[in-house]
């Protein structure tokens, strides 16, 4: 496999521009990078899609680090991005900011085009102009759409997205491949699988379930509970991203990894799944929440939602080959940690 070098030990302080640092994943990644001594330039729009206080509290934790600088702005604002890149000259970009949420994309599809497609294009323009050493961008397991071959492998065709959210993410993968080819821009797309954990988003299943159970409110269980998800614990996910920063996709002719590598024939471009590579039945997930809370949920069984897929399941052998690591936090342990955080955060 590729050797993973810790640049910090070489006394080189890497400068990383991270978008979405007040968001769930961006906050955890920035926190990890700062703990390791990286210089992190955070960028976030602090949009009111969900409780803005949660975003501000995450940000309050990050700004205590001397090597963190926070910049508020929208991805659509190219002038603002350009000024910041001029000022900071980052060597790496991790682009996590996006309009998230599969459900919301049914109500407000245009916001996904603005932030996910136009916003991502602007970030890619910066990567090109400032010749960063590696750009990593968040994609999603939703791009696998109606694929039924499981577990999902990066080299599988992914042309049947079922929501505009998934479609915008697939569009950014295609745009990124074109930029990688045209400008020799080393690019890694990371496809995330159902991420959960402390400081999570209130619109995510775990957060909603815990909140409803504690408030004696019913929880909606779609597809009559016949749902399977590859739940990935947040700490495992950000550690994977952190390690992938150093695994720069090579130009063709310098290939090292043979095993089912998604490395493009035409560009320094690679797609990598980050998941737990286990599919967990939603009902088992709910039961684990009930066990930790020592309280039963009021269950409201519903038909499957528009655009939803019954199951996701990742093949993470490429991730393992590249960084000699893969997520493996057990979902029961992850749920316990989330509930501890939740009770502390809401003073329960």
């Amino acid at each position: 496999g590729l050797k993973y070098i810790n640049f910090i030990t070489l006394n080189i302080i890497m400068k990383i521009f991270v978008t979405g640092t007040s968001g769930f994943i961006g906050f955890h990644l920035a926190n990890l990078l700062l703990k390791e001594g990286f210089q992190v330039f955070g960028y976030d729009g602090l949009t009111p899609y969900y409780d803005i206080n949660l975003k501000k509290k995450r940000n309050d934790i990050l700004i205590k680090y001397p090597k963190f600088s926070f910049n508020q702005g929208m991805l659509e604002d190219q002038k603002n991005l350009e000024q910041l890149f001029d000022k900071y000259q980052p060597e790496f970009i991790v682009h996590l900011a996006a309009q998230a949420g599969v459900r919301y994309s049914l109500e407000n599809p245009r916001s996904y085009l603005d932030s996910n497609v136009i916003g991502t294009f602007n970030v890619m323009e910066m990567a090109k102009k400032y010749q960063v050493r590696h750009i990593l961008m968040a994609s999603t397991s939703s791009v696998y759409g109606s694929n039924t071959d499981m577990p999902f492998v990066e080299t599988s065709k992914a042309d049947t997205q079922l929501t505009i959210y998934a479609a915008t993410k697939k569009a950014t993968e295609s745009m990124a491949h074109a930029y990688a080819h045209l400008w020799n821009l080393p690019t890694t797309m990371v496809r995330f699988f159902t991420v959960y954990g402390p400081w999570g988003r209130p619109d995510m299943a775990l957060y909603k379930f815990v909140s409803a159970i504690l408030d004696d409110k019913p929880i909606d269980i779609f597809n009559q509970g016949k749902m399977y998800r590859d739940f990935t614990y947040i700490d495992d996910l950000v550690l994977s991203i952190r390690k992938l920063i150093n695994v720069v996709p090579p130009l063709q002719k310098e290939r090292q990894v043979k095993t089912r590598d998604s490395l493009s024939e035409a560009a320094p471009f690679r797609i990598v799944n980050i998941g737990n590579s286990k599919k967990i039945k939603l009902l088992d997930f709910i039961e684990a929440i009930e066990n930790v809370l020592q309280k039963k949920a009021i269950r409201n069984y519903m038909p499957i939602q528009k655009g939803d897929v019954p199951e996701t399941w990742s093949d993470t052998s490429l991730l393992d080959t590249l960084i000699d690591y893969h997520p493996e936090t057990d979902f029961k342990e992850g749920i316990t940690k989330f509930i501890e955080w939740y009770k502390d955060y809401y003073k329960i």
Side-chain angles (χ1 to χ4, degrees):
L2 298 181
K3 288 287 171 278
Y4 160 58
I5 312 154
N6 188 338
F7 284 107
I8 293 299
T9 55
L10 308 175
N11 293 326
I12 303 165
I13 292 178
M14 286 159 68
K15 298 194 291 183
I16 306 189
F17 194 89
V18 181
T19 69
T21 47
S22 304
F24 171 37
I25 297 170
F27 158 70
H28 279 280
L29 178 68
N31 201 22
L32 174 66
L33 293 171
L34 289 160
K35 274 184 185 150
E36 290 196 19
F38 290 89
Q39 183 98 41
V40 178
F41 312 112
Y43 191 76
D44 202 287
L46 290 171
T47 59
Y49 166 63
Y50 64 81
D51 180 13
I52 202 144
N53 288 321
L54 187 59
K55 298 183 179 188
K56 286 179 172 161
K57 283 185 173 148
R58 294 182 189 127
N59 203 39
D60 290 344
I61 291 170
L62 297 177
I63 50 183
K64 292 194 174 88
Y65 289 97
K67 290 202 175 90
F68 180 71
S69 41
F70 178 67
N71 309 276
Q72 188 172 346
M74 298 299 282
L75 294 167
E76 297 91 309
D77 185 350
Q78 195 172 352
K79 273 213 172 70
N80 189 29
L81 277 173
E82 210 144 334
Q83 283 164 355
L84 293 173
F85 271 75
D86 249 351
K87 179 175 160 187
Y88 295 133
Q89 304 282 328
E91 305 152 89
F92 298 87
I93 299 173
V94 184
H95 173 42
L96 299 167
Q99 177 55 58
V102 175
R103 313 267 175 272
Y104 187 60
S105 69
L106 303 176
E107 296 159 37
N108 189 359
R110 186 173 297 278
S111 65
Y112 288 76
L113 291 171
D114 292 341
S115 69
N116 298 5
V117 180
I118 305 297
T120 298
F121 170 72
N122 288 341
V123 173
M124 287 176 359
E125 278 281 275
M126 293 305 106
K128 168 193 143 190
K129 185 175 176 187
Y130 293 89
Q131 297 183 315
V132 297
R133 287 161 58 182
H134 189 189
I135 176 170
L136 297 92
M137 301 208 274
S139 188
T140 167
S141 61
S142 302
V143 299
Y144 290 108
S146 65
N147 284 16
T148 50
D149 276 355
M150 307 250 171
F152 292 140
V153 181
E154 295 91 345
T155 47
S156 299
K157 231 169 129 79
D159 290 337
T160 52
Q161 287 76 43
L162 300 176
T163 60
I164 194 78
Y165 165 69
T168 60
K169 288 298 202 174
K170 180 64 203 249
T172 62
E173 291 187 0
S174 299
M175 286 160 39
H177 183 272
Y179 259 55
H181 166 75
L182 291 167
W183 312 111
N184 239 345
L185 186 61
T187 305
T188 300
M189 299 296 312
V190 273
R191 289 178 178 165
F192 301 155
F193 284 72
T194 318
V195 191
Y196 72 103
W199 294 100
R201 292 204 326 259
D203 64 326
M204 295 169 117
L206 176 57
Y207 211 116
K208 289 200 311 210
F209 290 162
V210 170
S211 169
I213 294 169
L214 288 171
D215 290 347
D216 298 311
K217 290 180 178 153
I219 60 171
D220 292 339
I221 302 174
F222 294 101
N223 204 29
Q224 316 302 332
K226 291 194 274 293
M227 303 284 272
Y228 295 83
R229 286 290 178 269
D230 191 335
F231 290 102
T232 313
Y233 189 62
I234 184 65
D235 291 2
D236 294 349
L237 178 96
V238 296
L239 183 58
S240 301
I241 298 170
R242 154 72 188 95
K243 287 172 179 284
L244 281 170
I245 290 171
N246 295 344
V247 184
V248 181
L251 305 175
Q252 329 67 303
K253 314 283 183 283
E254 306 169 24
R255 289 157 193 282
Q256 286 159 290
V257 181
K258 293 286 177 281
T259 54
R260 255 210 318 234
D261 196 354
S262 60
L263 193 60
S264 165
E265 287 300 318
F269 173 91
R270 183 186 268 131
I271 295 166
V272 185
N273 285 338
I274 305 183
N276 219 51
S277 53
K278 291 179 187 67
K279 57 173 183 173
I280 306 297
K281 193 171 188 181
L282 182 60
L283 295 178
D284 294 340
F285 194 75
I286 292 167
E287 196 180 306
I289 297 170
E290 293 174 328
N291 290 341
V292 178
L293 291 175
Q294 298 184 314
K295 191 173 178 187
K296 289 281 179 220
I298 305 162
R299 300 179 178 212
N300 179 26
Y301 290 98
M302 315 259 291
I304 195 161
Q305 272 197 304
K306 231 192 206 358
D308 226 342
V309 295
E311 54 185 291
T312 63
W313 181 18
S314 66
D315 180 316
T316 55
S317 48
L318 177 59
L319 180 72
D320 211 344
T321 306
L322 293 171
I323 61 173
D324 195 20
Y325 172 83
H326 60 266
E328 49 189 19
T329 299
D330 180 75
F331 72 98
K332 291 172 184 161
E333 185 192 331
I335 286 169
T336 305
K337 286 181 177 167
F338 172 79
I339 290 172
E340 280 167 7
W341 168 80
Y342 185 94
K343 287 181 161 176
D344 179 58
Y345 183 79
Y346 289 106
K347 313 267 183 286
I348 294 169

